Amino acid sequence: MYNYLAEFVGALILAYVLLATTNPVAIGLTYTVLILLFSSVTNGYFNPALTILMASINELPLSNVIPYSLSQIMGALTGVEIYKRFKF
């Protein structure tokens, strides 16, 4: 259960940073920090396309693809909403 929550939070933060800044260094650092923070809980995919890719090469069980993807999509949509409501 914590792995789905970690994917949700990671996708939320990543989507917010992607929208809030256009600096590729900040985006890369954010992704790196997220992977370091959540590496003990999840593999840090934070992206449904990457989740599907990892499942297709048998690095992720197929039973986790839909829950991971839904968590990531909902996290990213929440990040977009936070950005829209609180942009400065």
Side-chain angles (χ1 to χ4, degrees):
M1 184 66 171
Y2 289 121
N3 53 349
Y4 305 130
L5 182 61
E7 291 288 332
F8 176 87
V9 172
L12 185 152
I13 293 170
L14 191 59
Y16 182 81
V17 170
L18 282 166
L19 291 170
T21 183
T22 58
N23 186 348
V25 174
I27 295 167
L29 285 174
T30 301
Y31 195 69
T32 302
V33 168
L34 287 171
I35 289 173
L36 291 172
L37 284 174
F38 295 124
S39 64
S40 64
V41 179
T42 184
N43 291 330
Y45 302 135
F46 309 126
N47 182 343
L50 187 56
T51 300
I52 293 168
L53 170 76
M54 296 308 280
S56 70
I57 61 170
N58 295 324
E59 291 293 321
L60 180 70
L62 288 176
S63 61
N64 284 341
V65 172
I66 291 176
Y68 267 51
S69 296
L70 289 176
S71 298
Q72 294 157 352
I73 291 168
M74 295 306 295
L77 290 174
T78 305
V80 169
E81 284 300 314
I82 290 172
Y83 173 75
K84 286 178 9 182
R85 295 183 193 274
F86 298 109
K87 63 180 169 181
F88 298 103

